[in-house]
Amino acid sequence: MANRSSKTNTSCLYREQSITAGTLIFAYLMCSLSGNGDYFIVPVIGKVFIMEALIYGSFTVLALVALVFHVFALKTKSQISSANNPHFKRFQHSFFLVYFMALFSDWLQGPYVYKLYQHYGYASNQIALLYVVGFASSVIFGTTTGPLADRFGRKKMALTFCVMYSFCCLTKLSSQFFWLFLGRVFGGISTSMLFSTFESWYVYEHTETHDFPSEWLTVTFSKATFWNGVLAINAGVFSNIFAESLGYGPVSPFMLSIPFLMMAGLIILKTWKENYGNQSLNLRRSCMDGLRSILFNETILYLGIVQSLFEANMYIFVFQWTPVLGGANPPLGMVFASFMVCIMIGSSLYSIMLAKKFTSEQLLVFAVILATVAMTICIYSTGEGYLYLSFLAFLILEIGVGMYFPAIGYLRSQVIPEELRAGIMNWFRVPTNVITCASLLLVHNNTIISSTQAMFTVCTVMLLVAIIISIRFVRLFSSNKTPLPQSEDQVPLTKAEL
């Protein structure tokens, strides 16, 4: 989930005057009735583009929906039960404080990675190479970070992440290709740490050290997904202020990230306890044992395939949405904000549906189906040039993403063995990065995949495979799991909570 805004140019946040959402929606409807081309004239305000009106209006409506859904999600029984446990709240907040700082530092950089390389004068093929290096680094070196964390300690690996990612930010001060290349190498490794080490540490502390109910894991993952969207929107605003409004340039968001990484590292050092996976294995054997566990355990294998295919489509989408909508000259910053609000809606929807007797594995299938529907719409809309329909499809996809992350987080905690957790999670990311790299190279060189429509077709096929595999996973998981409560609505409340 780390480079999702890599092509978002927040300098495109514009225009001349402040416009209320209500006025824009009304004007857009009037324009639709009168058929006035790409823009319309609003008294006092002046010229307003249709796409701009649609995006600002959509963001307002979606934000209100996200707020309503969040309120309903907070009233589910697991949310109430966990919220009334002061020990759990303290533990959860101590994790969120660090994890959100790490995520915020990552989001700060996302909108300006591409622009920074452009600012330094690099051609598009050189920029594409730098992106591929980051994904390739995660494939080649990232798989070792999990076994290292399991053996030497996840707290130590989290501290290493803070130092290493700070070094990546410092490399952006140089315009030399060598330093930017090196920064991407270490950036790929850091990304692997961010999305495996922190979760591995939390799951161990939650289940082994504190012995909290496993159903409360869904509460944490759902909240993390919701607030991740809030962090992304605020990070986009902050990075835009420093880079554009204050005139510090595209390198400033990277420098702004370093204090957050250092603060996260200090809190980890002072407050986190160390925990481990399997300490008896050497590095090579640990890597191979993780791979062997995936290949010879169907439940883990199927979950890994679903994760790899879904997240590969998610990363490919990152590089496709900007050129698809770019013809209408939209405010890209607001488009990105709308995507993040949809993720928040999906996260709250996950909690609500979980309370309505759905299970996490069923909601995972539902999230994949939503993504498949969105990609199918994109095949049609990009072929016919229907930009508004493409935008709607993108919003549907992001709602699916918001449901996917808490579901996959909980299911990983249930099926991956503790002693190999971080290593297996990094193996899951290998196919994701390989597929993303291959897609980038094929699209950029106009070889096998020669159009955006063809790329969306490939994505749809991959997601259809993911649906089939996820259904198979549900059957296996349901037959193998122990008789624990099936949904958070079944978590009993204490007398104090009633």
Side-chain angles (χ1 to χ4, degrees), residues 208-258:
E208 303 295 331
T209 303
H210 297 281
D211 196 27
F212 293 126
S214 61
E215 290 72 32
W216 289 0
L217 285 167
T218 62
V219 176
T220 297
F221 292 134
S222 180
K223 281 185 177 180
T225 304
F226 180 89
W227 289 106
N228 186 39
V230 176
L231 289 171
I233 295 171
N234 282 279
V237 172
F238 274 97
S239 60
N240 185 72
I241 290 173
F242 276 81
E244 309 294 341
S245 302
L246 299 180
Y248 291 132
V251 76
S252 59
F254 298 90
M255 299 303 102
L256 188 62
S257 298
I258 295 176

Side-chain angles (χ1 to χ4, degrees), residues 133-377:
V133 165
F135 287 113
S137 170
S138 186
V139 171
I140 297 170
F141 302 111
T143 51
T144 65
T145 61
L148 286 172
D150 289 335
R151 183 178 181 186
F152 296 106
R154 291 150 182 171
K155 174 181 176 179
K156 295 185 185 72
M157 194 57 65
L159 288 169
T160 304
F161 160 80
C162 295
V163 175
M164 187 177 293
Y165 214 21
S166 297
F167 171 75
C168 295
C169 294
L170 291 173
T171 61
K172 303 301 189 293
L173 290 170
S174 173
S175 61
Q176 294 182 15
F177 191 82
F178 169 78
W179 287 107
L180 296 176
F181 185 95
L182 189 65
R184 290 297 295 175
V185 171
F186 282 100
I189 300 171
S190 301
T191 301
S192 295
M193 294 179 183
L194 177 60
F195 294 108
S196 61
T197 302
F198 286 82
E199 182 179 317
S200 298
W201 181 89
Y202 177 81
V203 171
Y204 182 93
E205 292 296 313
H206 180 107
T207 57
E208 303 295 331
T209 303
H210 297 281
D211 196 27
F212 293 126
S214 61
E215 290 72 32
W216 289 0
L217 285 167
T218 62
V219 176
T220 297
F221 292 134
S222 180
K223 281 185 177 180
T225 304
F226 180 89
W227 289 106
N228 186 39
V230 176
L231 289 171
I233 295 171
N234 282 279
V237 172
F238 274 97
S239 60
N240 185 72
I241 290 173
F242 276 81
E244 309 294 341
S245 302
L246 299 180
Y248 291 132
V251 76
S252 59
F254 298 90
M255 299 303 102
L256 188 62
S257 298
I258 295 176
F260 289 98
L261 291 167
M262 291 295 97
M263 282 190 289
L266 287 173
I267 295 171
I268 291 171
L269 186 64
K270 296 291 185 181
T271 64
W272 278 25
K273 297 178 181 178
E274 187 61 275
N275 65 53
Y276 303 87
N278 192 334
Q279 294 180 267
S280 62
L281 298 179
N282 59 42
L283 180 60
R284 181 181 176 184
R285 186 179 173 188
S286 182
C287 288
M288 295 312 298
D289 277 6
L291 181 59
R292 199 174 293 113
S293 295
I294 296 172
L295 296 177
F296 293 100
N297 185 313
E298 283 188 311
T299 308
I300 299 176
L301 175 64
Y302 290 155
L303 186 65
I305 293 173
V306 173
Q307 175 179 321
S308 298
L309 292 176
F310 188 95
E311 293 187 13
N313 279 270
M314 186 180 70
Y315 287 124
I316 291 169
F317 162 74
V318 170
F319 297 97
Q320 295 297 317
W321 74 261
T322 303
V324 169
L325 299 180
N329 197 27
L332 297 183
M334 288 305 300
V335 174
F336 177 70
S338 299
F339 291 165
M340 294 302 102
V341 171
C342 283
I343 289 178
M344 295 159 62
I345 291 173
S347 170
S348 297
L349 188 60
Y350 170 84
S351 295
I352 294 169
M353 293 181 72
L354 204 62
K356 300 298 182 181
K357 310 303 183 185
F358 288 91
T359 62
S360 292
E361 56 269 28
Q362 291 171 340
L363 294 177
L364 176 66
V365 177
F366 186 67
V368 179
I369 291 173
L370 275 181
T372 308
V373 170
M375 289 293 105
T376 304
I377 294 173

